[in-house]
Amino acid sequence: MPIKNAYISYTLCFMLHFLCGVTAVFTQKVTVSNEINIRPNNAYDILPNIGENILFYHDRGNEQVFEIYDQNLRYKRTKQLFFDKKNLQVLSLIPRKEDFLLIYSFKEEGMSVILMGQYDAYGEMIQTDTLVYEKSKILSVRHRFIHSEDKSKTLLFAPMDGGLNMLLVNNDSLQLIYGFTLIFKEFNFKEDFQKITMSNEGEVFILGKKEDNFSKNNKDRAMILKVSDAEKISLHYLVSEKQYMHNLLMSYDNLNQHIVVAGLLSTSDESVATGYFSSILNGRFPPFETLIHPNAFSLEFIAEFYGKKPGKIKELSGFYTREMVLRQDGGVLLITELQKQYTRRAPMTNANRFGEFVSVRGFVDYYHEDLLILSMNKSGAEEWKKILFKKQFSQDDDGIFSSCFVFKTPSRIRLVYNDEIKTHNTVSEYVLDPAGNYERNSVLSTEYQNLKLRFRDAVQISPVSFIVPSEKNYKINMVRIDYYNGLN
């Protein structure tokens, strides 16, 4: 058993040559928690900044357990939540500044019951309230959830009975705002559904797309449903002429009160890209259709990327949207990544009892390579684009240690990633300013630290700090990285 109060803290110093030509010194403090066993877990989560604590959540089916740490990742205590009913299902966990909320469900004598509990920073119950108590099939499907940006509201949703079952919860009052199944004849919620987002006021926006639309009329349309309540529902179309929209992302900008949709464009399918776009829709909803503003990749840009002569290759292949960053001025930063996946047959085959040879399971190779960063203004026009080079390879791990973490600071973006997918590894970052200037730095080395960092699952806890899980052999270490005196 690991020693529960053990932790490691060390500071790394680097000399950086800043973009303005001035050499400066900054430090990073890296703190590592004790090992946390997740072998019996169905899932886990990290809840930062709950009061003065950081909570590590274990979902073990019938057991809900929280390990409580201080801000330096020193273990304090373990708290298991106890419930009157068995076989309950956790639907959502909502971290807040001083407490957290747990929405869970169970069946009781033919009734569907959904409750919401409020717990303090040490897992002690403050209060609980019933959200749903009715005879229905609501628990026959697995609900997903989203939170509003300010954590004041939570939406539970799931395809059900030919529509989308929606439960909107007020997190401050622990009360259900509404619950109904949305049915809209133009929208197939199982086949057309792409993304969903919500404003702080509780307005829900659902993005959908019919995949055969483009081939029929050389025009591509995406649908956006706005749901204020069961009686206030409106539909808007986002239209692309002569280009197919794919890899779509959507977010609600609460500062500027509008919806942003962005993605890639092609003349054929989603495996290639000839351009990209972003489109802003007023939150009050505009007229029936909005035409997108397309940005094309020039043949010179494509040739430069592939190292070929202009004109030989006319599209980028294998890029997928990774994240969309909203700017205060209404502009958008679209982060895309080159991803490839190959399945290789095993070199040996097995013969079955009929003498036929059957290939045994092969290997799956995952490649997460260059980042393409696309900056657009609030009108959707291109401001700049940059390719940031990296090359990550892994095998049979679903790529969980690959890609990058988008760390947002007041004046720039940091893209933090593993140089190589192995235990002894260098962690690097690209530091990107609003004008598209960037530099690449080394952040830390995991050599002799026995760490395998999952940057895709990192959690930002302040403008200068984040926590990233390190996973190895069903054991997790929480790793906290704090930046000091650097570029914020």
Side-chain angles (χ1 to χ4, degrees):
M1 294 293 291
I3 300 173
K4 280 292 186 178
N5 61 358
Y7 75 102
I8 306 168
S9 180
Y10 53 93
T11 301
L12 303 173
C13 297
F14 294 94
M15 298 294 292
L16 286 184
H17 187 69
F18 288 135
L19 301 168
C20 60
V22 179
T23 300
V25 178
F26 78 92
T27 63
Q28 289 137 347
K29 180 182 177 184
V30 180
T31 307
V32 184
S33 75
N34 60 269
E35 284 188 344
I36 303 169
N37 181 20
I38 61 166
R39 185 176 290 274
N41 287 20
N42 294 334
Y44 70 85
D45 202 354
I46 298 172
L47 283 64
N49 302 337
I50 310 296
E52 298 179 350
N53 296 333
I54 295 169
L55 276 58
F56 190 95
Y57 166 58
H58 301 264
D59 180 357
R60 295 174 179 165
N62 289 330
E63 292 183 0
Q64 311 302 317
V65 178
F66 291 84
E67 290 189 41
I68 301 166
Y69 293 79
D70 67 14
Q71 290 295 321
N72 291 314
L73 300 183
R74 289 176 292 210
Y75 172 81
K76 297 171 79 171
R77 67 182 72 167
T78 296
K79 175 66 177 180
Q80 181 176 347
L81 305 187
F82 292 97
F83 304 91
D84 294 334
K85 303 293 181 179
K86 294 183 178 180
N87 299 320
L88 61 86
Q89 184 180 61
V90 173
L91 302 179
S92 180
L93 185 63
I94 306 115
R96 304 199 297 180
K97 289 183 179 179
E98 300 296 332
D99 57 26
F100 66 90
L101 306 173
L102 191 72
I103 302 177
Y104 57 98
S105 64
F106 56 88
K107 291 184 178 180
E108 181 181 61
E109 298 178 353
M111 304 295 285
S112 294
V113 185
I114 301 178
L115 288 89
M116 186 178 209
Q118 180 184 11
Y119 300 84
D120 69 14
Y122 289 89
E124 298 294 338
M125 179 182 285
I126 299 172
Q127 61 175 319
T128 185
D129 222 321
T130 301
L131 301 178
V132 173
Y133 186 85
E134 62 183 36
K135 192 171 184 178
S136 69
K137 297 186 293 182
I138 191 172
L139 300 184
S140 64
V141 291
R142 176 73 178 184
H143 282 69
R144 296 157 63 189
F145 64 89
I146 57 170
H147 308 308
S148 60
E149 186 178 28
D150 63 1
K151 298 292 194 298
S152 66
K153 296 172 184 68
T154 294
L155 178 74
L156 304 172
F157 63 96
M160 182 176 169
D161 296 331
L164 189 72
N165 185 256
M166 303 173 63
L167 301 168
L168 183 63
V169 181
N170 186 319
N171 294 337
D172 295 327
S173 64
L174 276 64
Q175 296 294 314
L176 187 69
I177 298 173
Y178 63 67
F180 68 98
T181 298
L182 171 64
I183 297 176
F184 209 84
K185 64 179 182 179
E186 290 91 346
F187 207 118
N188 185 317
F189 291 98
K190 285 189 176 180
E191 297 179 3
D192 302 338
F193 180 89
Q194 299 253 325
K195 302 290 179 183
I196 188 167
T197 189
M198 178 169 54
S199 71
N200 286 340
E201 286 69 39
E203 292 182 318
V204 177
F205 301 90
I206 306 168
L207 177 66
K209 195 165 180 295
K210 296 187 183 298
E211 295 303 323
D212 61 349
N213 199 50
F214 179 65
S215 60
K216 287 182 178 179
N217 54 22
N218 208 30
K219 236 183 208 187
D220 199 23
R221 298 201 304 175
M223 303 174 287
I224 305 174
L225 273 178
K226 177 184 176 181
V227 182
S228 299
D229 56 42
E231 304 298 326
K232 295 180 181 179
I233 302 165
S234 53
L235 175 66
H236 184 81
Y237 285 101
L238 198 61
V239 181
S240 172
E241 292 184 333
K242 300 181 180 180
Q243 293 189 84
Y244 173 76
M245 298 180 287
H246 62 94
N247 274 272
L248 299 180
L249 298 177
M250 179 176 67
S251 184
Y252 188 84
D253 185 338
N254 286 286
L255 177 64
N256 296 293
Q257 296 187 334
H258 57 227
I259 312 126
V260 183
V261 180
L264 301 178
L265 299 169
S266 80
T267 54
S268 54
D269 59 55
E270 61 184 24
S271 65
V272 296
T274 55
Y276 60 99
F277 78 96
S278 71
S279 190
I280 289 175
L281 309 177
N282 190 289
R284 294 186 295 274
F285 249 39
F288 188 60
E289 286 189 351
T290 297
L291 193 65
I292 70 162
H293 182 295
N295 299 289
F297 296 126
S298 68
L299 294 180
E300 290 75 18
F301 175 78
I302 296 171
E304 180 184 355
F305 175 76
Y306 286 110
K308 305 287 185 181
K309 291 183 178 180
K312 285 195 171 184
I313 302 176
K314 299 182 179 180
E315 54 198 14
L316 295 178
S317 178
F319 275 92
Y320 297 85
T321 51
R322 175 72 175 79
E323 190 164 338
M324 179 169 62
V325 180
L326 305 182
R327 302 187 330 212
Q328 289 190 355
D329 64 359
V332 175
L333 207 67
L334 186 61
I335 301 172
T336 72
E337 185 176 43
L338 178 57
Q339 299 176 13
K340 295 177 282 187
Q341 181 177 323
Y342 300 102
T343 301
R344 296 184 289 119
R345 288 187 178 181
M348 300 293 292
T349 56
N350 292 337
N352 65 16
R353 64 189 181 95
F354 298 107
E356 297 171 337
F357 284 89
V358 179
S359 177
V360 298
R361 182 181 182 274
F363 303 105
V364 182
D365 296 338
Y366 297 91
Y367 292 86
H368 289 73
E369 300 185 345
D370 307 326
L371 298 167
L372 173 57
I373 316 298
L374 307 163
S375 180
M376 292 161 277
N377 63 24
K378 62 182 179 181
S379 299
E382 177 184 302
E383 290 186 333
W384 51 263
K385 56 182 177 290
K386 298 289 181 181
I387 294 177
L388 308 180
F389 295 98
K390 68 178 178 68
K391 190 167 185 176
Q392 298 166 311
F393 165 78
S394 62
Q395 190 177 87
D396 293 340
D397 67 348
D398 292 324
I400 61 173
F401 301 101
S402 298
S403 198
C404 66
F405 170 54
V406 182
F407 182 39
K408 303 165 189 175
T409 72
S411 63
R412 61 204 65 211
I413 297 293
R414 296 178 184 269
L415 303 163
V416 190
Y417 62 95
N418 291 309
D419 269 348
E420 297 178 273
I421 311 305
K422 60 182 184 180
T423 303
H424 304 305
N425 167 55
T426 299
V427 174
S428 296
E429 68 176 1
Y430 280 104
V431 184
L432 194 68
D433 75 7
N437 302 306
Y438 70 90
E439 64 178 17
R440 183 179 180 276
N441 307 316
S442 293
V443 178
L444 62 94
S445 172
T446 64
E447 190 170 7
Y448 309 118
Q449 303 302 325
N450 201 30
L451 300 174
K452 289 194 71 174
L453 300 168
R454 295 180 55 158
F455 281 105
R456 286 166 58 179
D457 301 306
V459 179
Q460 184 161 342
I461 61 175
S462 80
V464 296
S465 308
F466 66 90
I467 294 176
V468 55
S470 170
E471 181 175 345
K472 192 175 181 183
N473 299 326
Y474 295 100
K475 299 289 179 64
I476 291 284
N477 296 94
M478 290 187 290
V479 180
R480 175 171 177 157
I481 299 178
D482 296 271
Y483 288 82
Y484 294 101
N485 303 319
L487 291 172
N488 295 326

